Amino acid sequence: MDYRKTGSTKQSPYRAKPKPRLGKILAMTAVLLVLGTVVVLAGMAAYFQLERSLPSIQSLRDYRPAIVSTMYAADGTVIGEFAAERRYVRPLKDFPRPVILAFLAAEDAKFYEHKGLDFAGIVRAMMKNIEAGGIVQGGSTITQQVVKSLLLTPERTWVRKIKEAILAYRIDRSMTKDEILYLYLNQIYLGSGAYGVEAAARTYFGIGAHDLSLAQAALLAGLPKAPSRYSPFQNLDKALERQQYVLDRMVEVGFLSQEEAMRARQEPLGLVESGTATSYPMNSFTEEVRRLMEQKYGAQMLYREGLSIHTTLDIRAQQLAEKAVMEGLRELDKRHGYRGPHGRVSEAEAAGFSKELAKKYPRPAPGEVVEAMVMGCDAQARHCQVDLGAGRGAVLDVKAAKWASGYFSSRRTLFAKGDLVWVRVPPSGGEAAPGTVALEQEPQMEGAFLAMDPQTGRVVCMVGGKDFSKSQFNRATQAYRQPGSAFKPIIYATALEKGYTAASVLIDSPIVKDDPSLSGPWRPANYDNTFWGPISLRDALIHSRNVVTIKLLESVGIHDVLDMARRLGIRSPLTPTLSLALGASGVSLWELVTAYSAFAAQGWRVEPYLVETVYDRNGRLLEKHEVRQERALSAQTAFILTDILQGVIREGTARSVRGINRPAAGKTGTTNELKDAWFVGYTPDLLAGVWVGHDDHRLSLGSKETGGRAAAPIWLSFMQEYLRDKPAENFPVPENIVFAKVGRRTDGEAPSEGGREAFAAFVEGTQPSARRETPASGEETGGSGTETTSGSFFKSDLFWGGN
């Protein structure tokens, strides 16, 4: 019986299967071709788009990174660095083998084997990144790191990684391995502002890369992974762990033996203190050079192009000048008494402040002035216990501070606990008992100092203020203050050029000048408020007689004096009135020292300069200073004036510097109400000027603080030390100069030498024996009368110039 349903069929197992229809096959093929074409075209489009966005690798062959500009003192010592990135480019041969092997082991052991990409490393990194759901690890080769640093942005995306891989492959094909490694070792950032291995070696160890030990090289090679995290300055333990990893890797890849690695682990690192190897103490000189270089070459050139700037600075002179200015200001300040503690901390703040003191003054040097905190006082014994930081105690002997006796005489207690005072650590080998300190205070006034070679203009040092760290204002070049009597030699030089001699007789007698700008007539006076009657030109300048100088200015002509000032290098505006005789028009110390250079250099004015040569990063000379001299006055006039200015030191207003004990000339200057004190002086081979005053020109320096008392001792302190081991020289005498005896004024003090006569210099034929000296035209021979003339003066004519 057949149980099949009606209509059902049964296919024979031996019957052939039906073939797919040709149309379906063609359709599927077409779809696949279209899809493939789309994918290929899309891939090509993406590649070409990526290709267009890739930077050219040609820039790597023209590698020109930002590097440090370096400033040198006259002896070649580095005194300053300026950089956007602290980097020193060095050829590969300058890096010792341990340095190269350490970086290869830490970053890319197969560097010399692969073609720019380490595919095994990439796979490992990809697996880690997939697991983390983002880019957390790189498999970058050294070549890829060069690409990342020099050609691409630091973004962490898949597209950038693809670009990185393409560029790394191209670089490996177009450059040698050594060329790539050279780029890497000079470009890599290694923390603490150091770019490249050379900068890192200097930053962390204070040495060049060529002197790195294996232990030091391994520590540096551990930094690229995370420069801040592994910085030995910030986390020494982590840095040493990373160093251990690098040494282990060097053993693992066969660069080191276990014994060599063990010895390296035991080597001292020789770390310098953070910041000490990367910064140089700036001062007024170096800051002035930096400003000039930026003005001349631009910030881009100064901070990125590696200039080599060779200056005129004498380091020893700069140190002596800074010390002389500060010590001179301290002595001046002490003459006017103690003002008391400069601050106070509460008991709750004391422990924290003590720690701050320890950081600020870790190891106070003998003679250094430091801040201290009073812990308690014994009024009967007249001493106090002070904290110098972190519990370091000392005894402050108040009895020894006689200059401060006025402050303590009316006080029951010396100081209160927590008072902040300035103290001086006693010099080593001094008389002070061990563990004692001396009371000091910070001077309120300011000072400036400038010294140069008067023959060439080479500035050996410059101090623009008592503390550059607190004020970068350069009072030697940027402050314009009234010079007082320090301006007088310009007037006397004009008179000598116009035929006056050292023996010309002038009359020191009262004068009255009408001045519509004042409520009454102008009656200029001398500093001592006396009149000496007939006086020689020589003595008038030596003793800085004001009224005589006013008369001399009127006689020779104001405009002739202005012309002389311009010839001598004064560029500041000068008021064309008789008050010019008293130095009433402001000038800078730089200008005044420039003017005196002509007196010291036989009439040749020389322009002061700070920079000898400048080279670019390739050693090409950009500038070389040429000495610029101009004849400002005759050699004979310059010598006669110098001879008179020697008398200022021997017997005049600058007797305070006679201790120099060698031929020297100079002039003091003091302004109205003792607001400014000056001294400009010179020996045959060194010229220096000092200014002392307050930044607030309304403030006085105090009673009797003249140029001879407030400024000249600073000059003397510097000159004595700087010239200590140099032989004394006489000023050269030009031809046609003769010497003749002249009378000498003693200013109330017995002459130091030669009785009441002195030899003075004259142009041959003009000495007293050759012609009869008479008073200047229009002057009386007596000194008792009062001359009255009219004229127009500014209110500044109330000013009197002191000695």
Side-chain angles (χ1 to χ4, degrees):
M1 183 178 291
D2 190 357
Y3 294 100
R4 291 179 295 177
K5 293 182 180 179
T6 306
S8 66
T9 61
K10 186 176 180 181
Q11 189 175 4
S12 170
Y14 305 104
R15 187 176 177 181
K17 295 181 180 180
K19 295 181 179 180
R21 288 181 296 180
L22 183 61
K24 182 182 289 188
I25 295 174
L26 293 174
M28 291 179 64
T29 302
V31 170
L32 291 174
L33 285 174
V34 170
L35 289 174
T37 302
V38 169
V39 170
V40 170
L41 291 175
M44 292 176 62
Y47 176 80
F48 286 125
Q49 181 67 27
L50 193 66
E51 169 78 14
R52 283 196 295 271
S53 67
L54 291 176
S56 170
I57 64 173
Q58 181 59 36
S59 61
L60 299 184
R61 294 195 174 279
D62 303 326
Y63 182 57
R64 192 182 179 88
I67 59 175
V68 173
S69 287
T70 306
M71 186 188 300
Y72 301 91
D75 65 358
T77 302
V78 176
I79 56 175
E81 291 184 335
F82 312 101
E85 297 177 359
R86 190 166 189 257
R87 177 187 289 106
Y88 309 86
V89 175
R90 295 290 182 265
L92 191 61
K93 64 181 177 62
D94 281 6
F95 297 106
R97 180 176 174 79
V99 170
I100 294 174
L101 294 180
F103 275 91
L104 291 178
E107 295 295 314
D108 189 359
K110 296 182 179 180
F111 173 71
Y112 279 94
E113 300 172 17
H114 60 63
K115 298 299 182 183
L117 298 171
D118 182 359
F119 291 103
I122 292 173
V123 171
R124 286 194 303 270
M126 286 180 63
M127 296 301 295
K128 291 287 186 181
N129 293 335
I130 291 172
E131 289 177 12
I135 298 177
V136 295
Q137 181 176 323
S140 298
T141 63
I142 282 178
T143 311
Q144 287 175 277
Q145 291 184 54
V146 169
V147 171
K148 188 189 308 181
S149 177
L150 291 170
L151 298 178
L152 297 177
T153 61
E155 61 181 343
R156 298 171 67 87
T157 66
W158 291 108
V159 172
R160 193 198 62 78
K161 292 296 290 183
I162 294 171
K163 291 181 179 180
E164 183 183 293
I166 295 171
L167 288 170
Y169 178 73
R170 289 182 178 178
I171 290 171
D172 201 81
R173 292 182 63 189
S174 63
M175 298 179 70
T176 68
K177 290 292 187 180
D178 283 355
E179 289 173 334
I180 297 169
L181 191 59
Y182 155 78
L183 295 177
Y184 175 78
L185 294 177
N186 282 298
Q187 184 67 22
I188 192 72
Y189 180 64
L190 295 172
S192 299
Y195 291 81
V197 177
E198 176 69 23
R202 298 189 187 193
T203 298
Y204 296 113
F205 308 115
I207 59 177
H210 55 84
D211 291 324
L212 287 170
S213 68
L214 176 57
Q216 293 168 331
L219 187 139
L220 295 185
L223 294 176
K225 180 178 175 64
S228 296
R229 182 182 179 189
Y230 295 119
S231 169
F233 290 156
Q234 300 177 27
N235 195 333
L236 182 58
D237 290 339
K238 287 286 185 184
L240 292 175
E241 286 179 14
R242 185 66 179 166
Q243 178 204 44
Q244 175 72 41
Y245 164 78
V246 174
L247 290 171
D248 289 343
R249 280 287 296 160
M250 294 180 75
V251 173
E252 183 183 334
V253 299
F255 292 163
L256 281 184
S257 68
Q258 284 287 2
E259 292 75 17
E260 290 172 320
M262 183 67 69
R263 285 197 298 270
R265 293 187 189 101
Q266 296 172 352
E267 288 181 15
L269 282 177
L271 285 169
V272 298
E273 290 186 22
S274 176
T276 58
T278 60
S279 61
Y280 296 86
M282 293 291 287
N283 54 48
S284 299
F285 186 103
T286 53
E287 171 58 17
E288 188 72 10
V289 173
R290 185 207 63 78
R291 187 184 65 81
L292 291 172
M293 291 295 98
E294 184 171 349
Q295 185 180 61
K296 187 168 187 176
Y297 295 105
Q300 173 76 11
M301 194 83 164
L302 178 61
Y303 291 101
R304 302 185 69 86
E305 291 302 317
L307 299 178
S308 293
I309 306 159
H310 297 264
T311 74
T312 62
L313 180 71
D314 182 321
I315 294 177
R316 176 171 170 265
Q318 184 69 23
Q319 293 170 343
L320 291 175
E322 290 174 359
K323 179 182 178 182
V325 169
M326 179 55 88
E327 293 303 314
L329 294 180
R330 288 192 191 281
E331 290 304 312
L332 164 59
D333 197 54
K334 286 179 183 179
R335 288 198 287 269
H336 302 283
Y338 186 54
R339 295 185 295 276
H342 61 273
R344 195 168 192 279
V345 296
S346 67
E347 189 170 350
E349 299 169 323
F353 189 78
S354 181
K355 292 180 180 178
E356 290 181 21
L357 287 178
K359 291 180 180 178
K360 193 173 182 181
Y361 310 106
R363 290 183 294 274
E368 183 179 359
V369 175
V370 300
E371 196 173 16
M373 178 171 54
V374 176
M375 305 306 294
C377 293
D378 185 336
Q380 187 173 1
R382 310 294 287 175
H383 70 246
C384 299
Q385 293 290 331
V386 296
D387 181 5
L388 302 180
R392 293 175 304 186
V395 175
L396 172 60
D397 186 1
V398 175
K399 297 190 300 294
K402 299 188 186 308
W403 61 275
S405 59
Y407 175 82
F408 294 110
S409 61
S410 59
R411 296 173 60 87
R412 287 187 177 181
T413 59
L414 302 177
F415 293 111
K417 186 176 182 179
D419 280 346
L420 302 181
V421 296
W422 294 102
V423 299
R424 184 188 296 274
V425 179
S428 56
E431 298 179 358
T436 63
V437 292
L439 184 66
E440 290 284 347
Q441 73 180 0
E442 287 293 281
Q444 293 183 318
M445 60 287 298
E446 278 289 354
F449 188 93
L450 179 69
M452 61 178 272
D453 182 336
Q455 313 298 327
T456 64
R458 183 175 72 90
V459 175
V460 298
C461 62
M462 176 165 56
V463 179
K466 65 189 177 192
D467 190 341
F468 181 80
S469 66
K470 295 179 180 177
S471 172
Q472 288 75 56
F473 180 66
N474 192 336
R475 295 158 188 84
T477 60
Q478 296 173 310
Y480 293 84
R481 304 295 289 254
Q482 294 174 337
S485 295
F487 189 85
K488 287 177 180 175
I490 297 175
I491 297 169
Y492 284 78
T494 308
L496 292 170
E497 288 276 274
K498 298 189 76 170
Y500 282 77
T501 73
S504 294
V505 178
L506 310 173
I507 305 300
D508 185 10
S509 61
I511 59 173
V512 177
K513 298 293 182 181
D514 292 333
D515 184 355
S517 67
L518 302 177
S519 57
W522 181 47
R523 292 184 173 87
N526 293 310
Y527 178 73
D528 60 3
N529 289 315
T530 66
F531 296 94
W532 292 2
I535 186 174
S536 69
L537 180 143
R538 175 183 182 274
D539 283 335
L541 181 54
I542 286 175
H543 299 289
S544 203
R545 306 304 289 172
N546 293 335
V547 177
V548 170
T549 306
I550 293 170
K551 292 180 179 182
L552 186 62
L553 172 63
E554 193 169 34
S555 175
V556 301
I558 292 174
H559 290 288
D560 285 347
V561 170
L562 292 176
D563 179 64
M564 174 64 74
R566 298 296 176 228
R567 283 155 49 193
L568 291 171
I570 303 293
R571 300 290 175 258
S572 297
L574 299 175
T575 305
T577 68
L578 293 180
S579 63
L580 193 65
L582 309 181
S585 294
V587 299
S588 69
L589 179 60
W590 180 280
E591 288 178 302
L592 201 57
V593 170
T594 301
Y596 276 65
S597 71
F599 308 152
Q602 297 81 51
W604 290 97
R605 175 182 62 79
V606 65
E607 287 294 329
Y609 71 99
L610 307 174
V611 177
E612 292 281 7
T613 56
V614 178
Y615 296 88
D616 68 10
R617 66 194 296 160
N618 299 316
R620 182 172 60 91
L621 182 66
L622 298 180
E623 69 171 86
K624 181 178 181 180
H625 180 80
E626 299 291 340
V627 175
R628 295 189 294 273
Q629 289 182 318
E630 290 185 14
R631 172 65 72 182
L633 60 162
S634 70
Q636 290 74 25
T637 296
F639 180 80
I640 293 170
L641 193 61
T642 292
D643 182 61
I644 296 172
L645 294 180
Q646 289 185 80
V648 173
I649 293 176
R650 287 194 301 264
E651 58 192 277
T653 58
R655 290 190 296 270
S656 58
V657 301
R658 283 181 293 187
I660 191 171
N661 292 326
R662 64 175 65 220
K667 183 68 186 75
T668 56
T670 311
T671 61
N672 192 25
E673 299 177 1
L674 306 174
K675 294 176 180 178
D676 300 89
W678 301 74
F679 184 72
V680 183
Y682 52 94
T683 63
D685 56 359
L686 190 65
L687 164 64
V690 183
W691 167 84
V692 173
H694 289 276
D695 284 340
D696 184 347
H697 63 84
R698 297 170 298 180
L699 300 179
S700 172
L701 290 171
S703 175
K704 300 181 181 179
E705 298 299 352
T706 62
R709 191 173 188 229
I714 295 174
W715 183 90
L716 176 63
S717 174
F718 171 83
M719 285 290 198
Q720 282 181 319
E721 287 298 318
Y722 187 70
L723 300 176
R724 183 177 299 279
D725 298 324
K726 298 182 180 181
E729 297 181 13
N730 289 311
F731 290 100
V733 182
E735 60 182 10
N736 298 327
I737 288 291
V738 296
F739 292 84
K741 280 187 176 182
V742 294
R744 170 190 286 174
R745 289 294 304 233
T746 65
D747 195 18
E749 181 176 302
S752 58
E753 57 188 49
R756 293 188 175 274
E757 286 186 320
F759 279 95
F762 297 88
V763 175
E764 188 172 10
T766 68
Q767 64 269 32
S769 61
R771 55 179 267 190
R772 179 176 178 274
E773 295 295 332
T774 59
S777 174
E779 292 195 349
E780 300 176 4
T781 58
S784 59
T786 297
E787 301 169 353
T788 304
T789 60
S790 62
S792 176
F793 302 93
F794 293 96
K795 290 184 179 180
S796 60
D797 295 329
L798 284 170
F799 169 104
W800 52 263
N803 50 346

